[in-house]
Amino acid sequence: MNNEILGLNKNKIKELINKNLMVIATLFFSGAFIAGKFSIAEFPVYSLTFFRFLIAAVVLFLIMLKRGEDLSLEKSDIPRIILLSLLGMVGYHVLFFTALKYTSSVNTSLIAAMNPIITTLMASLFLKEKFPKKAIVGIFLSFLGVAMIVTNGSIDVIKNMNFNVGDISMLLAILSFSLYFIVLKGIVGRIAPIKLTFYVFLFCVILLIPMVIYENPMSFLPNTTWTGWSSLIYMSIFASVIAYLIQQVSVKRIGPAKTSLYINLVPLFSMIMAYFILGEVITLPKVLAGIMIISGVIITLRSKK
């Protein structure tokens, strides 16, 4: 009897961990926004992306060697892994950092909130996934919460938005990341998450080599400070190695649309981190927005068994 109870408790604990894996990943992703503010000031766009995933790939490689993981790949999987690198690593990060150069953080954050909606539509179109009406309600509720955070509850902010090159770049970044989720769904079950993540990072590094040579690393590396490097290392290990491994496991277990929904928690967690690290003020509209975002996530996650 005691063994049955113990087994039941273990199952409940395991289920609880599985449901909250993406929350952990989202926390790490949120920290990357704070760290990125320091590192982007010292690294060019392509080089920042390159060094981030170079360090991450090395860490994963060492882990795989220690665990005796099989490093072999099926030739038929290589094109899809390269596509994942282009969409989720090179495409998204380059476009995102480019967007920050030309548009405001308000515009960028608001456009980024469209990620779950776009991914849901793509999952329905390409993967034939069906979502009940309650799930759609949850997605739009989360979107409204993010909109309230980035506008601080002021409609005037939305009225005064003017789309520019940065806004278009961010739209393309979200489109790229949504496509990444769709492509990931078709391969994540065939390759171990750690191996798949390693090769996605590795191909990203290889693809970026020509652009890094063009940016001439020796022109900025001698002047890079410890702050820049420590921020980069955080993004490499926590926001890349750990977070992307969790993300792949989540896509396998709950699907790409529901996994991408957790991205809406990033502005909320970033807001809290900014309060403690950067001393930014948390206003009442932002607190209400956080409640809306979490409610939207819960509604959508409970909409399907």
Side-chain angles (χ1 to χ4, degrees):
M1 182 68 177
N2 290 334
N3 290 335
E4 292 179 359
I5 295 175
L6 182 60
L8 181 61
N9 290 335
K10 286 183 177 179
N11 290 334
K12 286 185 177 181
I13 293 173
K14 185 177 181 181
E15 182 181 358
L16 182 64
I17 293 174
N18 289 340
K19 288 183 177 179
N20 291 279
L21 276 176
M22 272 306 295
V23 175
I24 298 173
T26 304
L27 280 169
F28 290 149
F29 284 139
S30 302
F33 279 84
I34 306 299
K37 289 186 177 181
F38 298 104
S39 57
I40 193 61
E42 302 188 31
F43 292 87
V45 171
Y46 290 102
S47 295
L48 177 58
T49 307
F50 173 84
F51 285 114
R52 172 179 177 173
F53 291 109
L54 174 62
I55 296 173
V58 171
V59 172
L60 280 177
F61 179 72
L62 294 176
I63 293 174
M64 292 176 70
L65 279 183
K66 185 175 182 179
R67 293 176 55 178
E69 296 279 349
D70 179 21
L71 292 172
S72 63
L73 271 182
E74 295 289 339
K75 290 183 179 180
S76 59
D77 288 329
I78 293 177
R80 182 165 291 188
I81 295 176
I82 293 176
L83 182 58
L84 286 172
S85 297
L86 283 170
L87 293 172
M89 306 304 124
V90 178
Y92 174 77
H93 289 88
V94 169
L95 288 168
F96 172 70
F97 288 131
T98 301
L100 290 178
K101 287 186 174 183
Y102 297 102
T103 191
S104 67
S105 58
V106 171
N107 288 29
T108 303
S109 300
L110 187 56
I111 294 171
M114 296 174 62
N115 191 352
I117 297 174
I118 295 176
T119 304
T120 299
L121 294 175
M122 287 187 175
S124 178
L125 179 63
F126 295 110
L127 304 179
K128 308 302 180 182
E129 290 190 5
K130 295 182 179 180
F131 295 88
K133 292 181 180 179
K134 186 183 290 187
I136 304 300
V137 171
I139 289 173
F140 278 100
L141 184 60
S142 294
F143 174 80
L144 291 176
V146 174
M148 183 174 290
I149 282 182
V150 299
T151 61
N152 202 28
S154 175
I155 299 179
D156 292 335
V157 174
I158 299 178
K159 289 181 179 179
N160 295 329
M161 283 201 312
N162 295 314
F163 286 91
N164 54 28
V165 174
D167 297 324
I168 300 300
S169 180
M170 194 61 204
L171 281 171
L172 292 175
I174 296 305
L175 178 62
S176 180
F177 206 64
S178 297
L179 287 171
Y180 165 83
F181 274 114
I182 302 304
V183 176
L184 183 62
K185 178 68 173 180
I187 195 174
V188 72
R190 301 202 308 271
I191 303 177
I194 189 170
K195 182 196 290 189
L196 179 57
T197 305
F198 166 69
Y199 278 109
V200 169
F201 289 175
L202 178 62
F203 282 119
C204 168
V205 171
I206 295 173
L207 291 168
L208 285 171
I209 288 176
M211 299 308 300
V212 174
I213 293 175
Y214 173 77
E215 288 181 337
N216 187 16
M218 293 311 299
S219 65
F220 60 86
L221 286 181
N223 299 319
T224 304
T225 66
W226 169 244
T227 300
W229 280 114
S230 59
S231 301
L232 178 61
I233 291 172
Y234 169 86
M235 291 191 293
S236 298
I237 297 177
F238 292 95
S240 296
V241 174
I242 300 177
Y244 275 97
L245 280 174
I246 291 175
Q247 188 181 73
Q248 289 191 19
V249 173
S250 179
V251 169
K252 182 178 180 180
R253 292 177 178 174
I254 66 176
K258 285 190 175 183
T259 297
S260 70
L261 180 64
Y262 282 92
I263 302 299
N264 267 355
L265 292 174
V266 170
L268 174 62
F269 292 150
S270 297
M271 176 183 66
I272 297 173
M273 292 179 182
Y275 173 78
F276 288 103
I277 299 175
L278 305 177
E280 295 184 2
V281 178
I282 298 179
T283 61
L284 179 60
K286 290 186 178 181
V287 174
L288 296 176
I291 295 174
M292 293 174 65
I293 292 172
I294 294 175
S295 299
V297 170
I298 293 174
I299 290 173
T300 303
L301 290 179
R302 290 185 176 181
S303 64
K304 291 180 66 178
K305 294 183 180 180

